[in-house]
Amino acid sequence: MDETTLRQARAVPAGFGVAVLVPGIGLGLGGPALAGWLVDLLDRSPLPTPGLLQVIAGLPWSWSIPIGVLLGVVGGVLLAMTIVHEALQLTVAPDHLEYRQEGREGWIERADVASVYGDGSDVVVLDAGGRALVRLNAEALDRSRLVQTLREYDYPWQEEDPFEADYHRWMDGRPGFTAAEHRLIGRWQEVRRKGKERAEAESALREADLVVRYREGRVQVRRAGEPGHGTDRRPAAS
């Protein structure tokens, strides 16, 4: 086996694109009539009637339908491009993992991977010290095929975090963390929904030997990088 690349099914962005196109056509067909009804309603009220609304109400179908279709096509293409941009593309090879998502690209050597596990819609890769090498949103990928592919290439997939019992609820100012560590964790909490900024925050946390996650509306954190630390339940190397 050379390598296998996992991508989002092409039907997904195409389906969303069509879903936006259809309302555009509907807007072209019914827009003038709806605008005419609104103009009539506003004319009988003390409120001013916007000029744009009057223009739309006066459009014949020979204009409104092409305009609606054009708006639907543009909106559909933009939405499909956004979905493709945000979706994970993961290449699994015998000697490395390669990923691309939201304009970010990364390479992880197989020798650095101690375990891989799923955390909700995310896939997390850990090194031998329990540090999170990367956390990727794999929602767009078929989970069963992802797991099967990783196992075929002899990557140590696990159904849960091998350090599950080591996490503790984090609160800003809680004893056990330095002021600098609190700032790093707090920064991650602020940007955890923003792909690029979250990756930068997780890189800083990795350098500080901290691993974070979000569970049940709370930030949880554990320490990594300490030999013999924690409840490592990874299978023994064969």
Side-chain angles (χ1 to χ4, degrees):
M1 294 183 293
D2 293 329
E3 61 182 37
T4 299
T5 298
L6 304 174
R7 298 182 178 88
Q8 177 179 247
R10 294 181 179 178
V12 174
F16 277 98
V18 171
V20 174
L21 174 60
V22 172
I25 296 174
L27 180 64
L29 288 169
L34 177 61
W37 176 78
L38 289 173
V39 167
D40 183 62
L41 184 66
L42 290 172
D43 283 345
R44 287 181 288 171
S45 74
L47 299 174
T49 302
L52 178 61
L53 200 60
Q54 294 176 335
V55 171
I56 295 174
L59 285 176
W61 277 358
S62 59
W63 279 93
S64 67
I65 292 178
I67 290 173
V69 171
L70 178 62
L71 291 174
V73 168
V74 171
V77 169
L78 290 176
L79 178 60
M81 290 175 62
T82 299
I83 292 172
V84 170
H85 177 72
E86 292 180 350
L88 173 64
Q89 177 178 304
L90 180 67
T91 297
V92 183
D95 62 341
H96 74 279
L97 295 173
E98 197 174 334
Y99 61 88
R100 183 171 68 190
Q101 187 170 36
E102 296 185 84
R104 298 183 293 117
E105 293 184 302
W107 178 295
I108 301 174
E109 288 289 329
R110 172 64 182 88
D112 295 332
V113 179
S115 57
V116 187
Y117 68 94
D119 184 13
S121 61
D122 292 343
V123 168
V124 185
V125 181
L126 301 180
D127 68 8
R131 303 174 188 84
L133 295 174
V134 71
R135 174 183 286 270
L136 300 169
N137 183 347
E139 186 176 15
L141 302 183
D142 181 270
R143 178 56 66 89
S144 61
R145 183 163 182 249
L146 170 64
V147 174
Q148 180 183 356
T149 302
L150 288 169
R151 286 175 172 165
E152 285 177 354
Y153 283 83
D154 199 31
Y155 281 83
W157 172 266
Q158 297 194 63
E159 295 302 326
E160 65 175 11
D161 189 338
F163 298 92
E164 180 69 29
D166 287 352
Y167 287 91
H168 301 283
R169 176 183 168 189
W170 173 80
M171 291 178 286
D172 192 15
R174 181 174 181 172
F177 301 95
T178 66
E181 289 173 336
H182 278 300
R183 285 194 295 271
L184 290 176
I185 301 169
R187 174 60 180 167
W188 180 88
Q189 182 182 34
E190 291 174 2
V191 302
R192 68 184 183 86
R193 296 186 183 276
K194 303 175 182 178
K196 182 178 180 180
E197 293 178 68
R198 189 188 78 170
E200 293 172 350
E202 288 173 350
S203 177
L205 287 166
R206 183 166 58 251
E207 293 179 5
D209 288 335
L210 295 172
V211 182
V212 296
R213 68 183 186 185
Y214 199 73
R215 287 284 180 86
E216 301 176 353
R218 303 282 188 179
V219 175
Q220 296 181 350
V221 61
R222 67 172 174 84
R223 292 195 179 276
E226 299 177 8
H229 174 74
T231 55
D232 185 354
R233 295 192 299 276
R234 290 172 294 176
S238 57

